Amino acid sequence: MITNFTRRAAIASLAALGLAAGIAAPVFAADKITLRMATSGSETDQRSVAMADVFAPMVADFVDYQPSYNGTIFAQGTELDAISRGNLEMSITSAQELAQFFPEFSIFTAGYVHQDADHQVAVFNDPLMDAFKETVENDLGVKLLSVMYLGRRQVNLRQPKEELTVSTPADLAGVNLRMPGTDAWQFLGKALGAAPTPMAFSEVYTALSTGAVDGQDNPLPTVVDAKFYEVTNQIVLTSHLVDLNYIAIGKEVWDGLTPEQQEAVQKAADAAAESGRQKQLQKEADLVAFLEEQGLAVYEPDLTEFRNQVQSMYLDSEFAETWPEGVLDKINALGN
C-alpha cells in the first residue's frame, strides 16, 4: 500500500500545479456557507445540471452554491489538492484521480468491477467502502458524499452480426479494436479478447470507415455524438466498464456543518446523483432504439464469460497488487 509519506509527496506535487494556476481565497456569503464547486465539465454536462438543479435548491436555505465549469478556477486534476489545502469546498472527482494518491482505488477503474448503475450505488454504500473513504478523509482531507453514474462502455464493430456474432471473449480474437493509448486501456482491450490498437479519438471515424480498425469502445452517447453508427454495423453490449464520479467535499467544511446541515447536504448529494443517474440511464435506453433504427444490431453477449475472463486477467496482473485482499469478492457478491 502507498505510504503516508508518498501520499504527502503526491499532494505537495499537485499543490505546485494548483498554485501555478492561481488560487482564490475562500468566499463567505452573509449568513450562508459558501460551497464552491469546481469541475472540468461544462454547464450542460449531466453532472453539472444535477448539482445545479437538484443539489443547490435542496440546501439553499443555508448554502450559497457557486459552481465553476470548464476548469476555470482550478485546472482538471488539481481540484482534490485544492480541497486538501482548504482553497476549494467541493468537486466532482473520479476513481482514476483518487488512484493517483491511493493506488488501491484502481480497483474501481478495472473492467467488470461495477456491473451496472445499481451495483455502483450498492458498492459505494456498503461497509467495504468504509476503509477507502476513511483513507481519503484522513490522508487527503476530502469526504466522498455520493457516487454519480457516467455510463457503460460498449464494443462497437464494423462487421455485420451475420458475419461476426460476439458471445464470448473468444469471438473477439483477432478483432482490431481501437482503445485509448495508455497501458491500462490497452490491457483492458486484451482482457476483452481483442487485439487493441492505440489511436487518437479524432482518428477513429476515418479508421472505421476505411477498415483500418474493426471497432472501438465507448458509451452509447459517444457512439451517437461522434456518428460512429454511420461506419459500423453492430453494438455488443459488453458493459465492460461502468464509469463513475464521486461528489466530494472538504472534510473541514463538512466538520464545520451542524448535524442538521450535514444531513441536508448528504441528502442533496444523494438526490443529485440519483437524478443524474436516471437521466443517463434513460438516455442510454433511448439510444438503443435510435441505433437500431439506423440499422445496427444491438445485443448482449454472455456477460458471465466476459466478466470471468476479464477479472481473472486483472487478478493476475500488476494492477491488482494494491487491491485490499478479499474486496473484489465482496464487490462481486453485491452484484448479480
Side-chain angles (χ1 to χ4, degrees):
M1 303 292 286
I2 189 169
T3 65
N4 285 335
F5 175 80
T6 304
R7 285 168 174 157
R8 288 196 296 271
I11 293 170
S13 67
L14 283 184
L17 294 175
L19 289 171
I23 302 302
V27 180
F28 299 94
D31 301 322
K32 288 190 176 184
I33 300 162
T34 297
L35 295 181
R36 291 168 301 156
M37 163 67 77
T39 175
S40 60
S42 69
E43 187 172 359
T44 57
D45 183 281
Q46 59 99 357
R47 294 160 291 181
S48 301
V49 171
M51 292 299 293
D53 291 355
V54 180
F55 177 86
M58 289 183 67
V59 294
D61 287 347
F62 64 95
V63 166
D64 177 24
Y65 178 72
Q66 298 181 5
S68 64
Y69 307 109
N70 302 307
T72 52
I73 63 172
F74 291 98
Q76 184 176 14
T78 66
E79 300 96 337
L80 287 175
D81 172 67
I83 293 176
S84 180
R85 289 181 288 107
N87 291 309
L88 178 66
E89 291 75 48
M90 298 187 71
S91 74
I92 299 173
T93 191
S94 67
Q96 288 86 348
E97 289 171 323
L98 286 164
Q100 295 182 66
F101 298 99
F102 315 109
E104 57 267 37
F105 266 85
S106 68
I107 193 171
F108 302 117
T109 71
Y112 289 108
V113 168
H114 288 119
Q115 297 177 18
D116 53 34
D118 289 339
H119 188 222
Q120 274 185 349
V121 177
V123 170
F124 184 81
N125 292 327
D126 191 84
L128 72 86
M129 278 294 297
D130 290 348
F132 290 92
K133 295 174 183 177
E134 289 170 5
T135 296
V136 178
E137 291 180 18
N138 295 337
D139 292 1
L140 198 58
V142 174
K143 180 178 179 62
L144 304 180
L145 291 172
S146 199
V147 62
M148 305 187 96
Y149 172 74
L150 299 186
R152 296 161 289 180
R153 294 181 77 99
Q154 317 291 5
V155 171
N156 176 206
L157 300 174
R158 295 179 68 250
Q159 294 94 327
K161 189 172 184 290
E162 296 75 19
E163 178 182 329
L164 174 62
T165 298
V166 178
S167 298
T168 70
D171 296 319
L172 286 175
V175 171
N176 193 347
L177 185 69
R178 179 269 172 184
M179 298 287 286
T182 66
D183 291 343
W185 284 111
Q186 293 295 297
F187 180 86
L188 178 55
K190 292 178 182 177
L192 289 169
T197 298
M199 180 179 293
F201 183 81
S202 60
E203 301 173 7
V204 176
Y205 184 97
T206 300
L208 287 169
S209 65
T210 61
V213 295
D214 297 315
Q216 63 89 35
D217 90 304
N218 262 300
L220 297 186
T222 303
V223 173
V224 173
D225 291 343
K227 300 187 184 301
F228 292 149
Y229 62 86
E230 294 179 345
V231 288
T232 57
N233 287 291
Q234 62 170 295
I235 302 285
V236 189
L237 298 175
T238 49
S239 299
H240 50 273
L241 191 66
V242 186
D243 213 355
L244 60 80
N245 274 165
Y246 301 112
I247 301 174
I249 190 170
K251 183 64 164 55
E252 287 189 7
V253 176
W254 175 263
D255 290 342
L257 301 175
T258 68
E260 293 77 17
Q261 290 171 338
Q262 289 179 348
E263 181 180 4
V265 168
Q266 184 64 64
K267 286 183 177 179
D270 289 338
E274 179 63 17
S275 173
R277 183 162 35 250
Q278 293 306 319
K279 288 182 179 179
Q280 192 73 347
L281 287 168
Q282 185 60 56
K283 185 175 183 179
E284 288 181 318
D286 292 343
L287 289 180
V288 167
F290 171 81
L291 290 165
E292 289 177 335
E293 290 172 359
Q294 305 308 306
L296 277 71
V298 183
Y299 63 99
E300 190 174 274
D302 187 332
L303 294 181
T304 299
E305 288 285 337
F306 270 94
R307 186 178 300 116
N308 289 344
Q309 171 165 310
V310 170
Q311 287 198 355
S312 176
M313 290 186 64
Y314 270 98
L315 286 171
D316 290 336
S317 75
E318 62 181 13
F319 295 101
E321 293 177 1
T322 60
W323 298 355
E325 186 176 355
V327 168
L328 182 59
D329 291 336
K330 293 178 181 178
I331 292 173
N332 288 338
L334 294 171
N336 299 326

